[in-house]
Amino acid sequence: MKAQPEASHFIDGAFVEDKAGAPLEVLHPASGEVIARLHAATPALVDRALNAARRAQADWAARLPVERGRILRRAADIMRERNHELSVLETLDTGKPLQETLVADATSGADALEYFGGFAPTVTGQTVPQGRDFIYTLREPLGVCVGIGAWNYPTQIICWKTAPALAFGNAVVFKPSELTPLSALQVAAILTEAGLPAGLINVLQGFGDLGAALVSDPRVDKVSLTGSVPTGRKVYAAAAEGIRHVTMELGGKSPLIVFDDASLEDAVGGAMMANFYSSGQVCSNGTRVFVQRGMKDRFLDRLTARTEAIRLGDPLDEATQMGPLVSEAQMQKVMGYIEGARTEGARLVTGGQRLNRPGYYVAPTVFADVTDDMTIAREEVFGPVMSVLDFDDEDEVIARANATEFGLSAGVFTQDLARGHRVIGRLQAGSCWINAYNLTPVEAPFGGVKQSGVGRENGHAALEHYTQIKTVYVGMGPVDAPY
Ligand code: NAD
């Protein structure tokens, strides 16, 4: 099984290799087999990429927005045509089942390219009358934007950052996660094939030190990170040194509240989507499932039956519903949380063990009788581990749901829509669902509050994060000077 790209990096319109960089092996998480050997970017390549981006950006910003948009929309079409091969690559790289990658990764990346391609020509400024004079505003690009990705949605992450950046006239240097470096190279190649001029999209491989070097480089105007809160703290601080713009898409420990009037099947299905998709490696997951006491037994019975029916196996088999975790280290971390939950007194309802096969598989796991003080109710696990907590009334559950430093997402299941809106209105979270979970179409702004992040991706909101406003005051008459 090979997924070796033409070269490790994509710089100034072409694949580039420099074997002097530290080796970076890419493993298939379902087998542990090496599927590609890359090298981290050397300082010389970082220089080339940043200089290319700076050089190309000014011409790009001067292009007609409709032309920029056309290139992005062409890239979206190519991605859709190649969805199958891109999905197989994503599955090899991340271990996520093909059943998911076929519908969630290159397709959502293509949606972002199409959406922002169409958005580009609609961007306008304002005019502000000032009596005889007037003011107008222009939306200008920021310049060179650095994107740094996590390993759970590699194709989607590069597209969610690159599509708005390019649409609004910026250039991009992207560093994928060292665990899943492959698909970003293909996205860069596809954009170039679609007509994107050289230098506007550059992909550099490397570890945290490369990310840190990019964030503090004076040639960089903006940094958008998708990653954990601890990394976010470092990146935000380093960006602050240079007063650079930031978007921080960080982790969560999101609440999903199930009232006892909810549809049982929908609530169970929602909770499973909120915990088991991508083997639980989703930032917005609703990992604290608060179930009202009147529903608890029915909920756990149905949840157990449906969870035990999940088909785990070879992620390349389209019948497989759940694959492995991304790496051995992530699997060990998740197993550590499972052991800790048992020790702290949570009741294991199902799962809790590794699978007896090669690869980094952990069975979908449900703990009941979880209390707010337990480690699995406070820390992000990033694996297929659901915590079910009991509650009695609305005020109580809202206070408990909000008692966390995170604030990425929240969900409510209830048939009483007035209550649904009332509860969501009081939850401290950026991305919320009522009677649904984890749907993130490109039209919807996405991001967190509190320590889960700063800024928003997608929707009209992305304009704020990839442009800046120039204000022009126009004097129409004699200058009224007091001297
Ligand atoms: P991570 O924080 O370990 O790494 C993220 C990226 O940052 C990687 O590319 C890494 O190489 C880089 N990095 C590490 N140290 C750095 C430094 N000092 N300076 C610059 N870059 C550095 O995260 P991960 O383990 O890859 O991903 C999982 C985390 O990402 C989870 O916490 C998850 O919730 C979060 N996540 C958030 C979103 C969102 O949109 N909010 C989406 C997906 C994942």
Side-chain angles (χ1 to χ4, degrees), residues 149-152 175 178 211-212 226-228 231 249-251 283 380 382:
W151 39 258
N152 56 346
K175 188 200 93 63
E178 55 273 37
T226 297
S228 61
T231 304
E249 292 287 354
L250 308 178
C283 51
E380 186 181 44
F382 231 57

Side-chain angles (χ1 to χ4, degrees), residues 39-285:
H39 292 271
T42 52
L45 292 190
V46 175
D47 252 15
R48 263 172 77 177
L50 287 170
N51 289 340
R54 273 244 86 82
R55 185 207 71 229
Q57 191 266 326
D59 284 349
W60 179 241
R63 289 262 199 125
L64 289 178
V66 76
E67 288 178 29
R68 294 200 300 262
R70 196 176 302 135
I71 292 170
L72 298 192
R73 287 186 293 106
R74 211 178 282 143
D77 290 344
I78 301 174
M79 279 187 77
R80 289 209 182 89
E81 279 158 25
R82 300 202 190 137
N83 184 41
H84 196 272
E85 79 189 70
L86 292 169
S87 302
V88 169
L89 185 67
E90 193 79 324
T91 288
L92 288 172
D93 209 0
T94 62
K96 298 195 294 179
L98 196 54
Q99 194 184 89
E100 283 187 20
T101 53
L102 281 169
V103 298
D105 292 274
T107 53
S108 67
D111 285 352
L113 292 164
E114 184 173 3
Y115 177 87
F116 287 105
F119 192 162
T122 73
V123 176
T124 56
Q126 288 182 309
T127 56
V128 186
Q130 282 292 297
R132 174 193 67 188
D133 299 345
F134 69 98
I135 297 162
Y136 65 93
T137 64
L138 298 167
R139 281 270 172 194
E140 297 194 332
L142 300 175
V144 174
C145 301
V146 161
I148 301 176
W151 39 258
N152 56 346
Y153 280 84
T155 306
Q156 185 183 78
I157 290 171
I158 185 176
C159 291
W160 280 16
K161 296 186 191 309
T162 298
L166 293 176
F168 305 137
N170 302 281
V172 175
V173 177
F174 187 82
K175 188 200 93 63
S177 165
E178 55 273 37
L179 292 173
T180 54
L182 300 178
S183 53
L185 292 168
Q186 301 310 318
V187 172
I190 285 172
L191 278 161
T192 305
E193 183 181 336
L196 189 72
L200 292 167
I201 174 77
N202 305 277
V203 174
L204 295 175
Q205 308 295 352
F207 302 88
D209 59 337
L210 170 61
L214 290 170
V215 172
S216 49
D217 194 287
R219 287 165 287 191
V220 171
D221 300 293
K222 191 225 159 89
V223 178
S224 176
L225 168 77
T226 297
S228 61
V229 172
T231 304
R233 253 184 224 115
K234 288 186 214 158
V235 171
Y236 203 173
E241 266 311 299
I243 323 281
R244 289 184 236 299
H245 297 257
V246 294
T247 300
M248 295 280 140
E249 292 287 354
L250 308 178
K253 190 73 206 176
S254 302
L256 172 56
I257 301 174
V258 180
F259 285 97
D260 57 19
D261 68 340
S263 146
L264 178 66
E265 285 306 316
D266 286 349
V268 167
M272 291 174 76
M273 286 297 292
N275 281 273
F276 299 144
Y277 207 68
S278 299
S279 298
Q281 304 164 110
V282 181
C283 51
S284 49
N285 269 357

